[in-house]
Structure formats: structure tokens, C-alpha cells
Amino acid sequence: MNDSNGSLSPWMIPLTLGASGIAGFFAGKLVGNRRRSANTILKMITNDFKREGTVEGSWIDHQPIPYRQFAVRTLVYRGGIRRFEDDQLVSYEFLADTSTGTLLKLKRIDN
């Protein structure tokens, strides 16, 4: 059913980010294996989140870790971000591809 008050589904942001992350991941594999710095990727992700609200904090591990999704293997940075949503502080953890910076996994953390 269509919601008459015009609000977005709570799954819209994670699903959109996940789909774009997977598409970006495969596009990045076609381009090459240039690795971006963890700080550059964190800045990219933080800027994306800032478009939808105030970011209160963020972090990223600088040591890449191996990640496998189906038959595709890559290196990822693990990180997190906190922001306000509906006057509540919400935390997310993410995995971002080291080559493209796209989100491969985004998980909301219940406080």
C-alpha cells in the first residue's frame, strides 16, 4: 500500500546504498585495482550521509580486510558512522570497497 503522509520506508536508504554499492563494486572491478586511502573513503561516505542529516561521528579501520560475496573477493575497510534520525542518534557499521569506496554492506546498530 502507498503511505499517504509521504514518508520513506525505513529500508529505503539501506537498500539504495546496498544496490549502488554492489553496482559500484562490480564497476570498480572492471576499471582496476587502485586502492584508495581509508581517510578518503571515510570522507566520501560521511559526505553522502551529510546530505540527509547531521553526522555526529565516524570512524574507519585503516587496515583492509578480505571480503567475499558469492564468487567475488576483494579488500574492504570496516567503519562506522553516527547521525541523528527523527531526533534520535542512530549508529551504522559499514564495509567499503578499498578500490572504489562504495558501500558493500551497511548495517544499522540498535543502541
Short mmCIF file of all heavy atoms in Angstrom, two decimals, residues 71-97:
data_model
loop_
_atom_site.label_atom_id
_atom_site.label_comp_id
_atom_site.label_asym_id
_atom_site.label_seq_id
_atom_site.Cartn_x
_atom_site.Cartn_y
_atom_site.Cartn_z
N ALA A 71 31.13 -15.35 -5.51
CA ALA A 71 32.43 -15.74 -6.07
C ALA A 71 33.40 -14.58 -6.15
O ALA A 71 34.53 -14.75 -6.58
CB ALA A 71 32.23 -16.33 -7.46
N VAL A 72 33.00 -13.39 -5.74
CA VAL A 72 33.84 -12.20 -5.85
C VAL A 72 34.57 -11.95 -4.55
O VAL A 72 33.97 -11.94 -3.48
CB VAL A 72 32.98 -10.97 -6.23
CG1 VAL A 72 33.84 -9.73 -6.34
CG2 VAL A 72 32.22 -11.24 -7.52
N ARG A 73 35.86 -11.74 -4.66
CA ARG A 73 36.69 -11.44 -3.49
C ARG A 73 37.33 -10.08 -3.66
O ARG A 73 37.73 -9.70 -4.75
CB ARG A 73 37.79 -12.49 -3.33
CG ARG A 73 37.27 -13.86 -3.07
CD ARG A 73 38.37 -14.87 -3.08
NE ARG A 73 37.78 -16.21 -3.08
CZ ARG A 73 38.34 -17.24 -2.54
NH1 ARG A 73 39.53 -17.14 -1.98
NH2 ARG A 73 37.75 -18.42 -2.57
N THR A 74 37.41 -9.35 -2.55
CA THR A 74 38.01 -8.02 -2.58
C THR A 74 38.52 -7.67 -1.19
O THR A 74 38.35 -8.44 -0.25
CB THR A 74 36.98 -6.97 -3.07
OG1 THR A 74 37.66 -5.73 -3.29
CG2 THR A 74 35.87 -6.78 -2.07
N LEU A 75 39.14 -6.51 -1.07
CA LEU A 75 39.55 -5.99 0.23
C LEU A 75 38.60 -4.85 0.60
O LEU A 75 38.18 -4.08 -0.26
CB LEU A 75 40.98 -5.46 0.18
CG LEU A 75 42.07 -6.51 0.00
CD1 LEU A 75 43.43 -5.84 -0.16
CD2 LEU A 75 42.10 -7.46 1.18
N VAL A 76 38.26 -4.77 1.89
CA VAL A 76 37.34 -3.74 2.36
C VAL A 76 37.90 -3.06 3.61
O VAL A 76 38.74 -3.61 4.31
CB VAL A 76 35.95 -4.32 2.68
CG1 VAL A 76 35.29 -4.89 1.44
CG2 VAL A 76 36.01 -5.35 3.78
N TYR A 77 37.43 -1.84 3.83
CA TYR A 77 37.65 -1.14 5.09
C TYR A 77 36.37 -1.26 5.90
O TYR A 77 35.27 -1.14 5.36
CB TYR A 77 37.95 0.34 4.88
CG TYR A 77 39.26 0.63 4.19
CD1 TYR A 77 39.29 1.28 2.96
CD2 TYR A 77 40.47 0.28 4.79
CE1 TYR A 77 40.49 1.57 2.34
CE2 TYR A 77 41.67 0.56 4.17
CZ TYR A 77 41.68 1.20 2.95
OH TYR A 77 42.87 1.49 2.34
N ARG A 78 36.52 -1.47 7.20
CA ARG A 78 35.37 -1.53 8.10
C ARG A 78 35.29 -0.21 8.84
O ARG A 78 36.31 0.34 9.26
CB ARG A 78 35.56 -2.68 9.10
CG ARG A 78 34.34 -2.95 9.95
CD ARG A 78 34.52 -4.20 10.77
NE ARG A 78 35.52 -4.02 11.82
CZ ARG A 78 35.23 -3.61 13.06
NH1 ARG A 78 34.00 -3.36 13.40
NH2 ARG A 78 36.18 -3.47 13.94
N GLY A 79 34.09 0.32 8.97
CA GLY A 79 33.92 1.60 9.64
C GLY A 79 32.54 1.77 10.21
O GLY A 79 31.71 0.85 10.17
N GLY A 80 32.30 2.96 10.74
CA GLY A 80 31.01 3.26 11.33
C GLY A 80 30.72 4.74 11.27
O GLY A 80 31.61 5.56 11.08
N ILE A 81 29.46 5.06 11.43
CA ILE A 81 29.02 6.45 11.39
C ILE A 81 27.80 6.60 12.29
O ILE A 81 27.02 5.67 12.45
CB ILE A 81 28.72 6.87 9.93
CG1 ILE A 81 28.66 8.37 9.80
CG2 ILE A 81 27.50 6.20 9.39
CD1 ILE A 81 28.88 8.85 8.38
N ARG A 82 27.69 7.78 12.91
CA ARG A 82 26.54 8.07 13.78
C ARG A 82 25.91 9.37 13.31
O ARG A 82 26.61 10.33 13.00
CB ARG A 82 26.99 8.24 15.23
CG ARG A 82 27.58 6.96 15.81
CD ARG A 82 27.95 7.17 17.22
NE ARG A 82 26.71 7.01 17.99
CZ ARG A 82 26.64 7.07 19.30
NH1 ARG A 82 27.71 7.33 20.00
NH2 ARG A 82 25.51 6.92 19.92
N ARG A 83 24.58 9.36 13.27
CA ARG A 83 23.86 10.58 12.88
C ARG A 83 22.48 10.59 13.53
O ARG A 83 22.00 9.58 14.03
CB ARG A 83 23.73 10.68 11.38
CG ARG A 83 22.76 9.70 10.78
CD ARG A 83 22.54 10.01 9.35
NE ARG A 83 21.56 9.07 8.80
CZ ARG A 83 21.22 9.05 7.56
NH1 ARG A 83 21.77 9.88 6.71
NH2 ARG A 83 20.34 8.20 7.12
N PHE A 84 21.87 11.77 13.50
CA PHE A 84 20.53 11.91 14.04
C PHE A 84 19.50 11.60 12.96
O PHE A 84 19.61 12.05 11.83
CB PHE A 84 20.29 13.34 14.55
CG PHE A 84 20.84 13.55 15.93
CD1 PHE A 84 22.04 14.23 16.11
CD2 PHE A 84 20.16 13.08 17.03
CE1 PHE A 84 22.54 14.42 17.38
CE2 PHE A 84 20.67 13.27 18.31
CZ PHE A 84 21.86 13.94 18.48
N GLU A 85 18.51 10.79 13.34
CA GLU A 85 17.37 10.48 12.50
C GLU A 85 16.13 10.58 13.39
O GLU A 85 16.05 9.88 14.40
CB GLU A 85 17.47 9.06 11.92
CG GLU A 85 18.59 8.89 10.94
CD GLU A 85 18.70 7.47 10.41
OE1 GLU A 85 17.86 6.61 10.78
OE2 GLU A 85 19.62 7.21 9.63
N ASP A 86 15.23 11.45 13.04
CA ASP A 86 14.00 11.65 13.82
C ASP A 86 14.33 11.96 15.28
O ASP A 86 13.77 11.37 16.20
CB ASP A 86 13.07 10.45 13.73
CG ASP A 86 12.63 10.17 12.30
OD1 ASP A 86 12.45 11.15 11.55
OD2 ASP A 86 12.47 8.99 11.95
N ASP A 87 15.28 12.85 15.49
CA ASP A 87 15.72 13.30 16.82
C ASP A 87 16.30 12.18 17.69
O ASP A 87 16.30 12.28 18.91
CB ASP A 87 14.57 13.99 17.57
CG ASP A 87 14.12 15.25 16.86
OD1 ASP A 87 15.00 15.95 16.29
OD2 ASP A 87 12.91 15.55 16.87
N GLN A 88 16.78 11.11 17.07
CA GLN A 88 17.44 10.03 17.80
C GLN A 88 18.80 9.77 17.16
O GLN A 88 18.93 9.79 15.94
CB GLN A 88 16.62 8.75 17.77
CG GLN A 88 15.34 8.82 18.56
CD GLN A 88 14.62 7.48 18.57
OE1 GLN A 88 14.74 6.69 17.63
NE2 GLN A 88 13.88 7.22 19.62
N LEU A 89 19.79 9.51 17.99
CA LEU A 89 21.12 9.19 17.50
C LEU A 89 21.14 7.73 17.04
O LEU A 89 20.82 6.82 17.79
CB LEU A 89 22.16 9.40 18.59
CG LEU A 89 23.61 9.45 18.16
CD1 LEU A 89 23.85 10.52 17.10
CD2 LEU A 89 24.50 9.70 19.36
N VAL A 90 21.49 7.51 15.76
CA VAL A 90 21.49 6.18 15.15
C VAL A 90 22.90 5.86 14.68
O VAL A 90 23.59 6.70 14.11
CB VAL A 90 20.50 6.13 13.96
CG1 VAL A 90 20.52 4.77 13.31
CG2 VAL A 90 19.10 6.49 14.42
N SER A 91 23.34 4.63 14.94
CA SER A 91 24.67 4.18 14.53
C SER A 91 24.58 3.17 13.41
O SER A 91 23.67 2.34 13.38
CB SER A 91 25.40 3.54 15.71
OG SER A 91 25.57 4.46 16.76
N TYR A 92 25.54 3.25 12.49
CA TYR A 92 25.65 2.30 11.39
C TYR A 92 27.07 1.77 11.34
O TYR A 92 28.02 2.49 11.67
CB TYR A 92 25.37 2.98 10.03
CG TYR A 92 23.96 3.43 9.83
CD1 TYR A 92 23.55 4.70 10.18
CD2 TYR A 92 23.02 2.56 9.28
CE1 TYR A 92 22.24 5.11 9.98
CE2 TYR A 92 21.71 2.96 9.08
CZ TYR A 92 21.33 4.25 9.44
OH TYR A 92 20.04 4.65 9.25
N GLU A 93 27.22 0.52 10.95
CA GLU A 93 28.53 -0.04 10.61
C GLU A 93 28.51 -0.36 9.13
O GLU A 93 27.47 -0.70 8.57
CB GLU A 93 28.81 -1.32 11.41
CG GLU A 93 29.16 -1.05 12.85
CD GLU A 93 29.58 -2.31 13.59
OE1 GLU A 93 29.48 -3.42 13.02
OE2 GLU A 93 29.99 -2.18 14.75
N PHE A 94 29.67 -0.22 8.48
CA PHE A 94 29.71 -0.45 7.04
C PHE A 94 30.99 -1.17 6.64
O PHE A 94 31.98 -1.18 7.38
CB PHE A 94 29.59 0.87 6.27
CG PHE A 94 30.70 1.85 6.53
CD1 PHE A 94 31.91 1.77 5.85
CD2 PHE A 94 30.53 2.88 7.43
CE1 PHE A 94 32.93 2.67 6.09
CE2 PHE A 94 31.54 3.80 7.68
CZ PHE A 94 32.74 3.69 7.00
N LEU A 95 30.96 -1.76 5.46
CA LEU A 95 32.12 -2.28 4.77
C LEU A 95 32.19 -1.55 3.44
O LEU A 95 31.21 -1.50 2.70
CB LEU A 95 32.01 -3.78 4.53
CG LEU A 95 31.97 -4.68 5.76
CD1 LEU A 95 31.80 -6.14 5.34
CD2 LEU A 95 33.22 -4.51 6.60
N ALA A 96 33.35 -0.96 3.15
CA ALA A 96 33.53 -0.20 1.91
C ALA A 96 34.68 -0.78 1.12
O ALA A 96 35.75 -1.08 1.67
CB ALA A 96 33.79 1.27 2.23
N ASP A 97 34.47 -0.92 -0.17
CA ASP A 97 35.50 -1.44 -1.07
C ASP A 97 36.71 -0.51 -1.08
O ASP A 97 36.56 0.71 -1.20
CB ASP A 97 34.91 -1.58 -2.48
CG ASP A 97 35.88 -2.21 -3.44
OD1 ASP A 97 36.01 -3.44 -3.41
OD2 ASP A 97 36.52 -1.46 -4.20
#
